[in-house]
């Protein structure tokens, strides 16, 4: 297990995976901690979450540097990610008590109510692309609700994994309210099977999600799956095309193209396709990409070289199938870094990898639609259903189309983003269950009915 700097291919640090004794001791300690943590008053949990927000902000520059080095995130994006984590901690510290308060329900009982009670140690299998945000958006609501968290982070961001555990300690949380385990994906089924683990959440690829869901099903543990996506961005004939191209470019290139809710398929009405292509090309030409530690760069390397190579294969197979390269699409074989140039593919159609698969990198796929109806059909012609966006100057039409898109969220004239106040998640092979808002807070709770005659 090692961290490799994707900017230059140099090993930053090897990590020794935790052995069976360490895993067993961590799980037992988490179980014991849960028994006391669930009794800690909500006001006290809120206080600690606010303190975690302070620690995150205090260490913001250092944590952004760690992400830049371990997975290539440009520094400004890293700092924004830490700020978002701090905001989520504060949100659950403030709103948690309201969402967790018992709900009285009028029935034939003299009193009946719903009580929200924690389940125990929850396993979180997390990806490298937002190494802090993905973890905090699981941990803040669950820990507020009285659960305790066990993190199995992606193997290439072990430094981030240990840094998060440290932040909880610095914030004053009792030991083992949050624990990081350095283990590979192969250990996950054993962890899910362990009687101490009460439920599991995974954010990652659809392949890993299927494996976690299979294990969770076999051992009858609840699971939340936040998986891949191929978000369609529909640009209608009446859209402000220049504005749409700016937003589409931004969404495609966030996190160097490695976001589950990045725009991936641009479905453009044939009446404005040329205009859109020209506008998007102009936006792509403005992009500075390179060393993520250099503040002028907004696109860094891909997180690992194998992922960069996999992306390049998908682009080559799409071109072989008839897609056309407008910009990018070549790699420097002698570069030890994992760089992939911002790339635009046009004339993309169903049956090509750029349409059917998730392209997890800075590659835009432009698809022509005959009209609005065709655009909706193309948008829904996907195994995924995470996010989607619609660009039109007719807001009522945008709302009408939003209702016809198979996705967990639809944004009109805006890029898809997560917001702690709104539920986040997908349908189809993008997963099931929700994070964020009170929906996320209640995923791993015993929603208990209490009835008094
Ligand atoms: P990944 O390869 O699936 O890894 C994610 C996590 O799963 C890692 O901790 C990994 O551990 C573990 N893992 C891998 N194979 C596993 C298996 N067979 N059983 C159990 N665990 C396994 O995904 P990634 O490359 O890190 O992340 C990119 C993917 O995540 C993209 O598809 C993206 O769309 C998706 N994503 C989704 C969301 C969402 O909210 N829907 C958010 C962010 C990312 P190792 O590192 O040790 O292999």
């Amino acid at each position: 297990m090692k961290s490799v700097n994707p900017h230059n291919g140099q090993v930053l640090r090897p990590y020794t995976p935790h052995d069976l004794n360490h895993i067993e001791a961590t799980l037992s300690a988490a179980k014991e901690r849960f028994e006391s943590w669930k009794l800690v008053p909500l006001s006290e949990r809120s206080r600690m979450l606010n303190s975690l927000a302070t620690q995150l902000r205090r260490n913001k520059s250092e944590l952004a540097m760690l992400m830049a080095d371990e997975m290539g995130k440009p520094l400004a994006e890293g700092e924004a990610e830490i700020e978002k984590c701090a905001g989520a901690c504060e949100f659950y510290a403030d709103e948690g008590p309201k969402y967790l308060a018992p709900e009285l329900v009028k029935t034939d009982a003299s009193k009946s109510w719903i009580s929200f009670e924690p389940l125990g140690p929850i396993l979180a299998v997390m990806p490298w692309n937002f190494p802090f945000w993905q973890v905090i958006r699981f941990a803040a609501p669950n820990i507020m609700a009285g659960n305790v968290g066990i993190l199995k982070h992606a193997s290439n961001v072990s430094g981030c994994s240990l840094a998060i555990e440290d932040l909880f300690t610095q914030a004053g949380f009792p030991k083992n309210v949050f624990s990081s385990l350095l283990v590979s994906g192969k250990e996950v089924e054993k962890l899910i099977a362990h009687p101490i683990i009460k439920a599991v959440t995974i954010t990652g690829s659809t392949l890993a999600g299927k494996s976690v869901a299979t294990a969770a099903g076999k051992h009858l543990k609840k699971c939340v799956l936040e998986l891949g996506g191929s978000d369609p961005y529909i640009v209608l004939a009446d859209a402000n095309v220049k504005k749409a191209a700016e937003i589409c470019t931004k969404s495609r290139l966030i996190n160097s193209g490695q976001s589950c809710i990045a725009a991936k398929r641009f479905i453009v009405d044939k009446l404005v396709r040329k205009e859109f292509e020209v506008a998007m090309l102009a936006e792509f030409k403005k992009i500075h990409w390179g060393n993520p530690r250099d503040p002028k760069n907004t696109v860094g390397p891909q997180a690992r070289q194998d992922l960069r190579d996999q992306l390049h294969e998908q682009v080559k197979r799409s071109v072989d199938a008839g897609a056309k390269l407008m910009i990018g699409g070549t790699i420097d074989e002698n570069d030890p870094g994992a760089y992939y140039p911002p790339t635009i593919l046009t004339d993309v159609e169903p049956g090509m990898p750029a349409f059917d698969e998730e392209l997890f990198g800075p590659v835009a796929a432009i698809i022509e639609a005959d009209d609005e109806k065709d655009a909706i059909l193309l948008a829904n012609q996907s195994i995924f259903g995470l996010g989607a966006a619609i660009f039109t100057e007719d807001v009522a039409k945008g709302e009408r189309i939003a209702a016809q898109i198979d996705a967990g969220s639809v944004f009109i004239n805006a890029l898809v983003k997560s917001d702690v106040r709104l539920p986040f998640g997908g349908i189809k092979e993008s997963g099931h269950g929700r994070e964020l808002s009170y929906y996320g807070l209640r995923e791993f709770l015993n929603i208990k009915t209490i009835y008094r005659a």
Side-chain angles (χ1 to χ4, degrees):
M1 205 173 254
K2 56 183 191 270
S3 293
V4 176
N5 187 336
H7 167 60
N8 54 23
Q10 282 173 8
V11 175
L12 291 163
R13 215 190 117 174
Y15 291 87
T16 308
H18 288 141
D19 62 16
L20 267 182
N21 287 340
H22 183 100
I23 295 171
E24 203 52 53
T26 304
L27 295 185
S28 299
K31 179 175 187 275
E32 200 179 322
R33 174 58 61 202
F34 170 64
E35 296 305 327
S36 56
W37 182 247
K38 68 181 180 190
L39 303 176
V40 170
L42 287 175
S43 57
E44 190 55 10
R45 293 186 211 154
S46 291
R47 189 188 60 73
M48 286 186 224
L49 267 186
N50 279 320
S51 163
L52 181 60
T54 305
Q55 289 306 326
L56 282 156
R57 291 203 177 97
R58 191 169 286 158
N59 293 287
K60 185 159 47 181
S61 313
E62 201 180 294
L63 299 173
M65 205 71 91
L66 177 61
M67 285 188 266
D69 290 348
E70 275 200 323
M71 49 68 69
K73 193 184 296 277
L75 288 179
E77 286 194 9
E79 294 201 2
E81 178 169 337
I82 298 300
E83 190 55 47
K84 192 166 177 179
C85 291
C89 291
E90 289 165 342
F91 174 81
Y92 284 109
D94 291 349
E95 303 294 324
K98 185 174 79 194
Y99 297 152
L100 293 163
E103 270 177 30
L104 281 173
V105 181
K106 262 187 175 248
T107 63
D108 56 352
S110 60
K111 183 181 172 190
S112 52
W113 70 99
I114 304 164
S115 168
F116 300 101
E117 298 178 12
L119 290 181
I122 311 294
L123 175 67
V125 181
M126 290 290 151
W128 45 263
N129 62 340
F130 292 93
F132 284 81
W133 169 241
Q134 302 292 354
V135 176
I136 294 296
R137 79 182 191 183
F138 147 76
N142 274 291
I143 285 172
M144 184 67 208
N147 288 317
V148 299
I150 310 279
L151 169 67
K152 178 266 174 283
H153 218 323
S155 298
N156 56 327
V157 290
S158 295
C160 293
S161 181
L162 297 176
I164 300 169
E165 192 181 57
D166 272 357
L167 286 162
F168 273 89
T169 308
Q170 286 164 27
F173 280 90
K175 210 167 165 1
N176 294 108
V177 167
F178 179 92
S179 321
S180 285
L181 284 179
L182 302 186
V183 292
S184 80
K186 291 192 199 87
E187 305 299 324
V188 168
E189 179 169 1
K190 275 182 246 156
L191 286 170
I192 294 171
H194 200 291
I196 286 178
I197 295 293
K198 298 300 175 218
V200 57
T201 180
I202 177 168
T203 300
S205 59
T206 293
L207 205 63
K210 284 182 179 173
S211 148
V212 163
T214 303
K218 186 167 155 198
H219 299 286
L220 288 182
K221 309 268 169 94
K222 182 169 182 188
C223 66
V224 166
L225 308 172
E226 295 285 358
L227 310 177
S230 182
D231 286 9
Y233 274 42
I234 297 175
V235 182
L236 295 177
D238 68 350
N240 177 335
V241 173
K242 189 170 176 312
K243 188 89 197 127
E246 274 168 32
I247 296 173
C248 290
T249 301
K250 188 165 179 212
S251 175
R252 180 57 287 201
L253 299 181
I254 277 175
N255 209 32
S256 310
Q258 304 162 115
S259 166
C260 53
I261 47 165
K264 290 176 187 141
R265 294 176 298 139
F266 301 94
I267 299 170
V268 188
D269 189 295
K270 66 177 181 219
L271 297 176
V272 290
R273 181 175 80 117
K274 280 275 166 255
E275 186 187 349
F276 179 81
E277 286 177 358
V278 170
M280 187 177 239
L281 182 63
E283 292 300 318
F284 267 57
K285 283 184 174 165
K286 290 183 202 160
I287 300 301
H288 291 281
W289 57 286
N291 190 345
R293 277 186 175 235
D294 180 340
K296 85 168 183 306
N297 294 327
T298 53
V299 173
Q302 302 300 280
R304 296 195 315 249
Q305 216 169 47
D306 61 306
L307 296 168
R308 190 273 310 263
D309 294 345
Q310 185 184 311
L311 176 69
H312 191 45
E313 275 305 309
Q314 289 171 303
V315 170
K316 283 197 294 190
R317 284 192 286 120
S318 299
V319 171
D320 289 346
K324 296 195 178 74
L325 270 172
M326 213 178 185
I327 187 172
T330 52
I331 52 173
D332 177 357
E333 302 280 359
N334 298 317
D335 183 354
Y339 284 96
Y340 202 77
T343 296
I344 301 177
L345 289 170
T346 64
D347 300 272
V348 172
E349 290 176 1
M352 296 178 185
F355 189 99
D356 297 342
E357 301 169 14
E358 180 181 38
L359 263 55
F360 214 57
V363 181
I366 301 180
I367 299 135
E368 181 179 286
D370 290 338
D371 51 24
E372 185 188 310
K373 197 166 154 228
D374 190 36
I376 297 168
L377 275 175
L378 286 163
N380 289 338
Q381 197 175 334
S382 172
I383 57 168
F384 299 110
L386 197 52
I390 300 158
F391 294 87
T392 171
E393 291 295 282
D394 180 345
V395 182
K397 189 191 337 178
E399 289 182 17
R400 186 168 40 77
I401 294 176
Q404 298 172 64
I405 302 292
D406 303 336
S409 56
V410 182
F411 282 54
I412 300 164
N413 293 326
L415 64 82
V416 181
K417 61 181 180 188
S418 58
D419 180 320
V420 69
R421 296 162 293 188
L422 294 167
F424 183 94
I427 57 170
K428 302 198 268 185
E429 292 203 11
S430 292
H432 56 236
R434 290 293 178 266
E435 289 192 298
L436 304 179
S437 101
Y438 56 85
Y439 287 94
L441 182 77
R442 289 178 179 170
E443 284 285 3
F444 295 126
L445 294 179
N446 176 12
I447 300 174
K448 188 190 269 181
T449 292
I450 307 185
Y451 180 105
R452 200 178 75 198

